[in-house]
Amino acid sequence: MTAVNEKELAALSKQVGKNLSKHRFEHCLRVSDYAVKLAKQNGVDVNQAAIAGLVHDYAKEVSKKDFLKKIEKSGLNPDLKNWGNAVWHGVVGAEFIKDELGIDDPTILQAVRLHTTGGTHKEMTGLDKVVFMADYLEKGRDFPGVEEARQITDKSLDQGVFYQLAHTLLFLAAKEKVIYPKTFEAYNDWAMYLKD
Ligand code: GDP
Ligand code: FE
Ligand code: FE
């Protein structure tokens, strides 16, 4: 679709707002806006971008207990139970979005699943890249380098994805955090794809 379905978006927005604190809901609204901008620049469906951006963190405030229950009920890989909110709110979050918001568009659900870790260059669709980058670059973000990241992404969505993957990896390692294997896999794949 070439235009945002404002009515559908407003109805979804109401539901998303009820599930999130004010600051996180406002982040979701800004991600939705930035996703629309990037979608227009890259020939990606703007309606899917607006929806995926709006709902991407829908499950961010779900309790550990409810995530674990959903992993069981949805028959997801039991290894997921060993991880935490950072991984769950995307991968398991997509199940909440399907069940509670009634969104069953597989393209939107995949963009939500990959929004934290990214994926390989073959795996990531235009929508996946747009949502991944909009989450990183939305107008409320102010980390050092955000302006550079915005400029790189305006020139090349792929280079933006790689910039974020490299910088997130550095950020997590600097804080001595555990890094999810998919995050490494995505970084290596894009490094090989763009640099070799
Ligand atoms: P947000 O939901 O808008 O805050 O953004 P994201 O979904 O991109 O990231 C959520 C959190 O997960 C951030 O603090 C990231 O730094 C962190 N994160 C991203 N990848 C990984 C990973 O591989 N392992 C861990 N432990 N955290 C990660
Ligand atoms: Fe997130
Ligand atoms: Fe987010």
Side-chain angles (χ1 to χ4, degrees), residues 24 27-28 31 53 56-57 60 89 115-116 131 134-136 138 141:
R24 188 154 284 116
H27 161 69
C28 288
V31 172
H56 82 286
D57 277 341
K60 186 95 178 187
H89 82 280
H115 91 263
T116 307
V131 174
D135 188 22
Y136 194 57
E138 57 94 345
R141 298 284 196 202

Side-chain angles (χ1 to χ4, degrees), residues 69-165:
K69 262 202 266 177
K70 190 63 101 181
I71 292 168
E72 284 276 339
K73 269 184 74 182
S74 303
L76 299 181
N77 187 339
D79 173 64
L80 274 171
K81 291 183 192 164
N82 300 316
W83 296 86
N85 183 284
V87 170
W88 293 337
H89 82 280
V91 180
V92 190
E95 303 301 318
F96 284 94
I97 288 163
K98 197 162 49 177
D99 297 346
E100 295 178 12
L101 300 179
I103 293 175
D104 51 16
D105 179 342
T107 314
I108 292 176
L109 294 175
Q110 171 162 307
V112 172
R113 286 189 187 103
L114 297 186
H115 91 263
T116 307
T117 58
T120 65
H121 79 278
K122 282 203 177 128
E123 182 179 21
M124 289 184 91
T125 64
L127 184 69
D128 297 341
K129 296 177 201 175
V130 158
V131 174
F132 185 63
M133 291 319 299
D135 188 22
Y136 194 57
L137 303 176
E138 57 94 345
K139 293 284 170 58
R141 298 284 196 202
D142 67 349
F143 57 86
V146 68
E147 219 20 80
E148 185 194 11
R150 288 187 182 120
Q151 283 170 18
I152 290 170
T153 308
D154 277 342
K155 280 203 203 114
S156 162
L157 188 59
D158 281 1
Q159 292 292 344
V161 168
F162 185 60
Y163 181 100
Q164 179 179 174
L165 287 170

